[in-house]
Every structure is written in structure tokens, then in C-alpha cells.
């Protein structure tokens, strides 16, 4: 089955700096890669996702890049703010619109943005 | 924005007891999931459900676990005889065709 590795496990940055979290996956059939933000005691919330037919996607301060050949994808947060502090999970899945989309998650990265 | 709702938010039970965790998926969603997260660890897939049957289940989802969609709105996870290691946050999730997964707020299960 799919295996997703995520690094680093903790990341501390100063407000305004950029943060980068990296993930690798094992199953070359995976074609959907979401990123979730989870605040303490709350649900994982989707912040951005990318499908394997594109290499990069951006949404304001958040971007995700995908390298299918190397089987890795990364989350980039620019101009970090204290409210970005949370645990971030990457995930990988295979599926088309009507299929299963079983997500395999990484172990998470605790991001701390210091004011 | 519609949400997946889960009840209860916290369930405490004794080892060996049965528990039922309840979820109301978003109304037009067709695919339903249960995930769990042991404290401080990653989110793990348990089971997916579509068209009134299990689509896929993980090795965690043994015969102590079952899921049911008893009516048009609820989706339940039953653990027949709880063990200490079942203590975790259980997340229900749902999606429509071609849309991302939406998670509920979770039920924290504590087995004593």
C-alpha cells in the first residue's frame, strides 16, 4: 500500500518568514495530494490540494509543488502569520471522480510561527 | 457552509463495552469514511462506504468494527468490544463525486 513520509516533524519560523514542508510517497499510481491544517483539538481542514496532472498550484500565501518523477510534493507558506501555527498533514491517494479516495496521511508537521 | 457533524464529542467507556459513534455527513455527499487519530499521531484510514456497502477497509478495521447507514442521513461506527488501544479521536468524513474530503469535528473515545 501507499506510504507517505513527511518532514520536518516540527518547524519554527519567525512571523513573515516562509515555511516549507516536504512529503514523499511510495505508490506511483497516487494522483491526488491534499494538505490539511489541524488546530489543536479540531478537525483537519483542507487548505490546498493538487492533482498529478499539474506541477504547481497556488492560493494566496499557500502553494504546493509536485514532482511526480521523484514522488515528492511540498507545501510552501509565505509571509507566515501566528495564526498559521498548527499541525499540517500531507496525504496521498489514488482515485478518479467517482472512486474511493482512501487517503494515506503523513505523520504531520507542527508549525510554530513566532511573533 | 455545510458541515459533517459528529456526536458525541467525547465518549468514555469501559473496556469490553460496545460503543456507537454517530455522524451526519453533508447531505448531497455519497462517499463516507471513518478515520482515527491516536493522540499525537497521524490520521489513519479505517473504512470507506459507498452505495450502502463497504468499499474498502484497513487492517485496523477488524471484525470488532462495523459501519451502518441506518437511514438517509446518519452514518455510524460501532466498536463491539472496546479495547484500551481503541482510545483515539475518530473522524467521520464525506465527499461528493470529484470533491475533496470534508471531516467532522471528531469524537474523542476514551476506553478505561
Amino acid at each position: 500500500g501507499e506510504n507517505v513520509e513527511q518532514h520536518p516533524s516540527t518547524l519554527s519560523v519567525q512571523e513573515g518568514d516562509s515555511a516549507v514542508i516536504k512529503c514523499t510517497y511510495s505508490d506511483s499510481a497516487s494522483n491526488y495530494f491534499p494538505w490539511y491544517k489541524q488546530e489543536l483539538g479540531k478537525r483537519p481542514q483542507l487548505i490546498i490540494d493538487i492533482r498529478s496532472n499539474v506541477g504547481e498550484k497556488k492560493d494566496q500565501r499557500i502553494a504546493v509543488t509536485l514532482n511526480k518523477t521523484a514522488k515528492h510534493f511540498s507545501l510552501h507558506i509565505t509571509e507566515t502569520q501566528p495564526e498559521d501555527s498548527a499541525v499540517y498533514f500531507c496525504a496521498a491517494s489514488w482515485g478518479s471522480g467517482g472512486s474511493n479516495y482512501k487517503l494515506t496521511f503523513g505523520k504531520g508537521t507542527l508549525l510554530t510561527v513566532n511573533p | 457552509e455545510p458541515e459533517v457533524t459528529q456526536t458525541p464529542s467525547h465518549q468514555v467507556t469501559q473496556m469490553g463495552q460496545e460503543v456507537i459513534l454517530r455522524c451526519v455527513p453533508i447531505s448531497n455527499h455519497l462517499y463516507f469514511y471513518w478515520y482515527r487519530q491516536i493522540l499525537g499521531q497521524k490520521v489513519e484510514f479505517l473504512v470507506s462506504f459507498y452505495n450502502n456497502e463497504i468499499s474498502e477497509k484497513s487492517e485496523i478495521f477488524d471484525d470488532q468494527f462495523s459501519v451502518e447507514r441506518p437511514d438517509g442521513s446518519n452514518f455510524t461506527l460501532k466498536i463491539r468490544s472496546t479495547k484500551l488501544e481503541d482510545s483515539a479521536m475518530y473522524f467521520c468524513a464525506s465527499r461528493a463525486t470529484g470533491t475533496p474530503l470534508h471531516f467532522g469535528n471528531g469524537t474523542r473515545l476514551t476506553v478505561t
Side-chain angles (χ1 to χ4, degrees):
Chain A
E2 175 65 276
N3 182 48
V4 176
E5 298 288 338
Q6 183 172 348
H7 300 279
S9 56
T10 60
L11 179 60
S12 182
V13 299
Q14 289 299 121
E15 184 176 358
D17 287 351
S18 295
V20 180
I21 303 170
K22 299 182 178 183
C23 289
T24 59
Y25 62 98
S26 60
D27 188 348
S28 56
S30 289
N31 63 356
Y32 175 64
F33 307 93
W35 285 88
Y36 286 85
K37 175 183 180 183
Q38 186 179 32
E39 296 174 357
L40 189 63
K42 295 192 176 180
R43 75 181 82 192
Q45 289 197 296
L46 179 73
I47 55 171
I48 197 167
D49 57 7
I50 191 168
R51 298 183 190 276
S52 60
N53 57 346
V54 297
E56 184 173 358
K57 183 176 178 181
K58 191 172 181 180
D59 182 4
Q60 299 183 336
R61 297 186 297 108
I62 295 172
V64 57
T65 58
L66 171 65
N67 183 327
K68 281 182 62 180
T69 304
K71 290 191 281 191
H72 66 69
F73 55 114
S74 301
L75 177 72
H76 303 254
I77 306 174
T78 58
E79 299 170 32
T80 53
Q81 301 165 2
E83 51 265 38
D84 293 330
S85 297
V87 178
Y88 290 80
F89 290 97
C90 63
S93 172
W94 176 87
S96 59
S99 70
N100 195 30
Y101 274 117
K102 180 187 84 171
L103 294 178
T104 300
F105 283 83
K107 289 187 175 180
T109 296
L110 173 61
L111 173 65
T112 304
V113 181
N114 301 300
Chain B
E1 185 180 337
E3 290 185 348
V4 176
T5 57
Q6 289 185 245
T7 55
S9 56
H10 192 189
Q11 174 87 49
V12 182
T13 189
Q14 288 191 324
M15 197 166 52
Q17 296 296 304
E18 173 184 288
V19 294
I20 297 176
L21 310 183
R22 303 181 190 278
C23 170
V24 179
I26 295 172
S27 62
N28 64 337
H29 286 187
L30 301 175
Y31 300 85
F32 313 117
Y33 304 80
W34 284 100
Y35 285 78
R36 81 171 186 191
Q37 186 178 31
I38 295 171
L39 187 64
Q41 298 188 23
K42 66 178 176 180
V43 179
E44 299 176 290
F45 169 79
L46 291 179
V47 66
S48 58
F49 191 87
Y50 171 70
N51 200 25
N52 285 320
E53 61 182 21
I54 291 174
S55 312
E56 188 170 355
K57 58 186 181 180
S58 73
E59 58 190 25
I60 301 169
F61 194 88
D62 61 22
D63 56 9
Q64 292 300 308
F65 291 85
S66 62
V67 289
E68 193 177 30
R69 187 154 165 81
D71 52 42
S73 59
N74 290 284
F75 180 52
T76 62
L77 174 70
K78 182 193 291 186
I79 308 175
R80 206 157 286 121
S81 177
T82 49
K83 303 188 281 285
L84 293 176
E85 54 264 38
D86 293 327
S87 295
M89 182 74 91
Y90 288 80
F91 291 104
C92 175
S94 69
R95 55 180 282 269
T97 301
T99 67
L101 211 54
H102 293 259
F103 285 88
N105 275 327
T107 293
R108 179 165 297 287
L109 177 65
T110 302
V111 182
T112 60

